Amino acid sequence: MIRRRSPTARARSVLPVATFRSGRVPMVAEVSPYGIVGVSPSKYLEGDPSPPYVDRDVDHLLDELLCRRGVALVTGASKAGKTRTAYEAVRRVFPTSKLLVPTACTKVLTSILRDPPFARSPAPPVLWLDELDHFLGDVTGFDHALLDWLERGDGRMVVVGTVNLTRREDLLGTEGQIGRAARLLLEHADQVLVPSHPSRRERADAERLYPGERFMRGIGEELVDTEALECEYDAGRTAAPIGWALLQAAVDWRRAGMLRPIPEADLRDLCPRYLDAAVPTAAQYAEGLAWACRELAPQIALLRMVGRPRSPSFRPFDHIVAYADGHVSGPARRIPHGSWEVIVARTSPEEAARVGFTAYTRGDH
């Protein structure tokens, strides 16, 4: 079993990366895509812990990029299949490599680029940066270090990242010195675009592997049933306003640049920012939370509780974050000014820098 280290354990750790309980860093082939890698749960997981991968037309191109041992960046819209495509490529090309999945963006992580661990192994280590934009613009200078590493290109490590197309455009659209390293990194990294809609060949393979599915939308969209998630989210604003407010608070916490799940106390404080009515009672709050957290399919819910029940935190489903952000359709739902104030008040210095960078790239100066 792979775990992310607690803050205390992380402080004692040499590397801020996910490990087995024994402390050993896993090899690529030992990791499930549905865990630390970041692939969204499939509605087929209940019957099959390892649902089959649908080969993509870009696979051969991504394999070639990985063999160059540089920075391979996989882009695409929400649920186009970016993360699964990137992971399967790494598993094909470097199955015995150590997989370095950051648990935090720290100065120690920056040092990994200067002196990659396991670099003397037969297979180069792979630094995995799902949602690359979350690692850019903070006080550690990781984006500068990654840009330097890309230009140096010593081949001792492979860096694989994913980024949503809309966030990529946000970053590329910034001006001035703020975000300059991020812009240069995105401009110079080797990139592969995963199309939102499958090709004729991909659709045929997908329908063979998943009988009964039509795959008229994206492959990831069908396997997660994003249409049902979107409908529930849209309907919830009037059908379950308190539940929707709690969900939206968690969504905006993530959109503002906060990487850790939102603690329950902060969720309660943000909730009224999204309500026209009075602050909900404890019973109304519990009812709304139950609506947001109920499973719409096995392991798929709009909002999921993480951590210990006595001090829970919550994480929204990643597609709903993208949907609210305008990554899927329509204009982005703006983060209320009052929400920014509450979120900034809850940040550590490092988080505050990242939230400020995120606000800048979103145009919320």
Side-chain angles (χ1 to χ4, degrees):
M1 180 177 179
I2 297 176
R3 64 176 179 176
R4 290 185 179 272
R5 293 181 179 272
S6 67
T8 302
R10 199 178 303 142
R12 297 194 302 265
S13 176
V14 176
L15 297 176
V17 298
T19 66
F20 288 110
R21 291 192 179 277
S22 64
R24 182 173 66 85
V25 177
M27 294 189 301
V28 172
E30 297 175 311
V31 176
S32 166
Y34 299 102
I36 58 171
V37 169
V39 177
S40 296
S42 163
K43 62 186 180 183
Y44 287 91
L45 272 177
E46 188 175 38
D48 184 353
S50 183
Y53 171 66
V54 179
D55 294 339
R56 307 305 296 265
D57 293 342
V58 299
D59 284 349
H60 70 286
L61 177 59
L62 189 51
D63 291 353
E64 292 176 3
L65 292 184
L66 290 178
C67 289
R68 297 178 190 174
R69 299 192 181 188
V71 176
L73 185 59
V74 182
T75 67
S78 176
K79 292 295 160 283
K82 302 182 297 297
T83 306
R84 183 71 188 269
T85 299
Y87 166 75
E88 293 294 340
V90 172
R91 184 157 65 172
R92 285 192 303 272
V93 181
F94 298 114
T96 60
S97 290
K98 292 293 187 179
L99 187 64
L100 309 177
V101 183
T103 56
C105 192
T106 68
K107 291 183 179 180
V108 178
L109 180 58
T110 300
S111 70
I112 289 177
L113 296 171
R114 301 192 187 99
D115 186 20
F118 312 108
R120 295 183 180 180
S121 302
V126 176
L127 180 59
W128 181 264
L129 302 173
D130 191 38
E131 297 184 310
L132 173 66
D133 52 295
H134 290 156
F135 294 90
L136 306 179
D138 65 18
V139 296
T140 68
F142 180 74
D143 45 6
H144 293 272
L146 184 55
L147 179 61
D148 290 343
W149 184 87
L150 173 61
E151 294 173 345
R152 189 169 67 244
D154 58 17
R156 292 187 297 159
M157 185 169 65
V158 179
V159 179
V160 181
T162 68
V163 64
N164 194 291
L165 278 177
T166 303
R167 284 299 292 148
R168 177 181 177 276
E169 295 307 311
D170 288 343
L171 292 166
L172 289 174
T174 59
E175 298 178 351
Q177 287 302 308
I178 297 178
R180 180 176 181 273
R183 293 196 305 273
L184 290 174
L185 177 62
L186 293 174
E187 289 170 356
H188 291 91
D190 291 320
Q191 300 182 37
V192 171
L193 171 66
V194 179
S196 297
H197 297 285
S199 66
R200 183 176 299 179
R201 197 275 312 162
E202 290 173 337
R203 181 178 292 114
D205 281 357
E207 292 176 353
R208 174 179 55 81
L209 292 170
Y210 294 93
E213 298 284 359
R214 294 297 305 276
F215 294 97
M216 301 307 294
R217 302 189 298 164
I219 292 175
E221 290 181 272
E222 295 293 347
L223 295 181
V224 174
D225 197 2
T226 58
E227 187 173 15
L229 288 168
E230 294 165 12
C231 289
E232 191 73 6
Y233 169 78
D234 289 335
R237 189 165 193 176
T238 54
I242 296 173
W244 183 90
L246 290 165
L247 172 63
Q248 192 63 40
V251 165
D252 285 353
W253 173 273
R254 182 74 171 178
R255 293 170 68 211
M258 296 294 282
L259 305 187
R260 57 184 169 89
I262 181 170
E264 185 173 23
D266 296 332
L267 189 67
R268 284 177 177 267
D269 288 344
L270 270 175
C271 176
R273 305 281 176 174
Y274 302 90
L275 290 171
D276 296 327
V279 175
T281 64
Q284 290 172 327
Y285 173 86
E287 183 180 354
L289 195 60
W291 173 87
C293 292
R294 79 188 192 286
E295 287 194 342
L296 303 179
Q299 301 189 41
I300 297 177
L302 295 172
L303 188 67
R304 182 167 293 278
M305 185 178 76
V306 296
R308 298 177 179 178
R310 290 186 178 181
S311 56
S313 294
F314 297 87
R315 190 184 298 279
F317 195 80
D318 60 349
H319 179 74
I320 292 302
V321 177
Y323 185 64
D325 226 4
H327 291 177
V328 181
S329 61
R333 188 186 301 278
R334 291 188 68 84
I335 300 174
H337 178 73
S339 295
W340 283 110
E341 292 182 336
V342 173
I343 293 169
V344 169
R346 305 307 196 271
T347 61
S348 67
E350 180 181 322
E351 289 172 335
R354 185 179 298 113
V355 169
F357 178 76
T358 302
Y360 182 81
T361 60
R362 290 182 178 278
D364 278 325
H365 299 170

